[in-house]
Amino acid sequence: MTTQFVSQSEVDTRRFGLVLGRLLFDGAVVALNGPLGAGKTRLVQAVAEARGHERSEVVSPTFTLIQEYRGPRPVYHFDAYRLRDDDEFLNLGPDEYFDGDGVTIVEWGERVSRCLPSERLEITICPTGPETREFGLSAQGTRYRQLLSELLQNLASSPAPENG
């Protein structure tokens, strides 16, 4: 199942991430793709916020490769940008996170796609202006197709977040 969501502003992108973060189930894997500056980390901040974490604590793990946001609803945030190959990614032990009690988000997921579970949510972010984005969404697997369907329904009825 594939579809798209169009964001007209950073507030819209945050709303998308908040709704997604509330709907993601434990063990969910999300691959984020898009060029530098597309808003991948901004999206992760909103997902983490929806799962009970401080948005300001969420930073790009480009140099640390993984950030763990623990708590009642954990978020595991990988960044594959600096990895040379699949082996470097596999050495990080991603399977432990994929099978864990939280949500795993992999920025630059296309770089390690062979290492990701076959069932996952793929989000490709395409900047279309200074604040506008197109989010290409692809759900692979029954649970992810259901998630994507719920996401679209919830986005249609969710208001803009406060303190945008």
Side-chain angles (χ1 to χ4, degrees), residues 34-48:
L36 284 170
K40 293 181 291 294
T41 300
R42 288 263 193 251
L43 182 60
V44 176
Q45 287 173 334
V47 168

Side-chain angles (χ1 to χ4, degrees), residues 31-33 40 60-66 77-86 88-90 92 105-113 115-116:
L32 291 181
N33 305 310
K40 293 181 291 294
S60 177
T62 300
F63 295 101
T64 57
L65 304 179
I66 183 168
H77 183 192
F78 285 79
D79 189 319
Y81 182 72
R82 297 182 66 231
L83 299 178
R84 289 186 302 259
D85 55 34
D86 290 350
E88 277 193 316
F89 183 72
L90 293 173
L92 297 173
I105 303 174
V106 182
E107 289 192 37
W108 301 95
E110 73 272 18
R111 292 179 179 228
V112 293
S113 61
C115 303
L116 300 177

Side-chain angles (χ1 to χ4, degrees), residues 8-29:
Q8 299 297 331
S9 65
E10 277 196 46
V11 171
D12 228 9
T13 296
R14 181 170 170 235
R15 178 174 67 94
F16 174 79
L18 289 170
V19 172
L20 177 62
R22 285 192 296 268
L23 294 173
L24 286 169
F25 50 87
D26 288 347
V29 176

